[in-house]
Amino acid sequence: MADFHPVTKAVVPAAGLGTRFLPATKATPKEMLPIVDKPAIQYVVEEAVSAGLLDVLMVTGKNKRSIEDHFDRAIELEDALEAKGDDERLSQVREPADLATLHYVRQGEPRGLGHAVLCAKQHVGDHPFACLLGDDLIDYRDELLKRMIEVRATYGGSVVALMEVPKEQVSLYGCAAIEPTSEQDVVRVTDLVEKPPAEEAPSNWAVIGRYVIDPAVFEVLENTPPGRGNEIQLTDALRTLAGRGGDEGGPVHGVLFRGRRYDTGNKLDYLRTVVQFAADRSDLAPEFMPWLKEFLASR
């Protein structure tokens, strides 16, 4: 195995305006919308921690203070729960603050995912890092991020998570041109295109919100002009790295993911995710599922 720097840090961009969920997100960050009884952003941090990444940087923006509060101690609430002897809820309240070492930096204005990642440069330094987007939740049983870190340790460079999507949906994603490797679930990425028209997509393997990125990306992002949507696109920077050799921060590989992914990026998928999570909960499913079946039968 090649000797590459280990991945120890995670970056979680959380500076978006959440316009697709207005008016709920007028004063509440989209990342704090609950999936049953836990905000989506906590599932993302838990995923990073389960992959061994205990140093997490949140890239936030205006009106995101509640994210920091959620991962901080709430002494008055804890004291009240402790006085009641409510140990179960006390543990739930303390859990977010104990997950990892959390750091925060603000993205002054929404200039795209690439710019949000660039905001992490000072914290990350010259080490590879994981980047996890809050719109995508990956089932904890599938350990996608852990696999991606293993692939980085083998091949170096950067690693993206790829998921096969219907042809009519490729325009919603960054899509990859790929070549096989000797490993069944690993491919070499030769090109990346951000949200192409279906007829122009290099494949229907789409980049989902998990990345392991070489620090060379920062130099590329600093020189990447605004792309689609007049924003600095991470996809464009990774496309540059895909054409480079190992001594210049390349190449880019992809992990073909066929596991369980939950999308919270729009209202309909968010509702699906809440139902799926509730159906998997042993404390809720026995009552929730019969009610849901009865409700659907009555429609």
Side-chain angles (χ1 to χ4, degrees), residues 31 33-35 38-45 47 133-140 142 144 208-210 257 259-265 270 273-274 277:
E31 297 83 4
L33 296 179
I35 308 299
K38 187 187 297 184
I41 194 74
Q42 185 171 334
Y43 288 102
V44 175
V45 174
E47 182 185 349
L133 305 191
D135 284 352
D136 285 330
L137 304 184
I138 303 298
D139 196 292
Y140 69 92
D142 290 322
L144 170 61
I208 59 175
R210 295 297 180 271
F257 181 62
R260 290 155 286 197
R261 167 189 175 244
Y262 310 96
D263 190 349
T264 64
Y270 171 79
T273 296
V274 172
F277 272 61

Side-chain angles (χ1 to χ4, degrees), residues 74-263:
I75 301 302
E76 291 183 1
L77 178 58
E78 291 176 22
D79 288 346
L81 292 171
E82 192 167 16
K84 292 180 180 180
D86 193 340
D87 293 337
E88 181 179 357
R89 288 188 175 87
L90 178 61
S91 176
Q92 292 171 344
V93 167
R94 285 177 172 169
E95 182 183 11
D98 295 333
L99 280 172
T101 301
L102 272 292
H103 308 270
Y104 302 89
V105 63
R106 278 200 170 195
Q107 183 185 21
E109 55 182 316
R111 296 178 56 194
L113 176 58
H115 182 262
V117 170
L118 187 55
C119 291
K121 178 180 178 180
Q122 184 172 358
H123 181 79
V124 170
D126 60 354
H127 287 81
F129 61 99
C131 180
L132 299 86
L133 305 191
D135 284 352
D136 285 330
L137 304 184
I138 303 298
D139 196 292
Y140 69 92
R141 293 165 289 192
D142 290 322
E143 298 189 328
L144 170 61
L145 187 57
K146 188 175 291 185
R147 175 58 178 150
M148 294 174 68
I149 292 172
E150 291 173 353
V151 171
R152 152 74 196 190
T154 301
Y155 296 96
S158 299
V159 184
V160 297
L162 298 174
M163 194 165 191
E164 199 167 17
V165 300
K167 196 71 173 178
E168 61 271 17
Q169 293 183 16
V170 295
S171 62
L172 303 175
Y173 299 89
C175 294
I178 58 177
E179 295 177 348
T181 70
S182 59
E183 298 187 74
Q184 188 173 8
D185 65 333
V186 180
V187 294
R188 172 77 179 263
V189 175
T190 59
D191 196 11
L192 286 163
V193 183
E194 179 66 18
K195 298 181 178 178
E199 63 275 10
E200 297 177 15
S203 76
N204 61 334
W205 285 98
V207 180
I208 59 175
R210 295 297 180 271
Y211 310 80
V212 175
I213 307 176
D214 191 273
V217 75
F218 295 125
E219 170 265 323
V220 176
L221 285 169
E222 288 172 336
N223 295 282
T224 297
R228 188 175 180 87
N230 200 34
E231 295 181 334
I232 299 174
Q233 299 291 346
L234 179 60
T235 301
D236 292 341
L238 289 171
R239 183 185 190 189
T240 297
L241 292 180
R244 291 185 175 184
D247 57 343
E248 296 180 301
V252 176
H253 284 83
V255 170
L256 304 181
F257 181 62
R258 297 180 173 90
R260 290 155 286 197
R261 167 189 175 244
Y262 310 96
D263 190 349

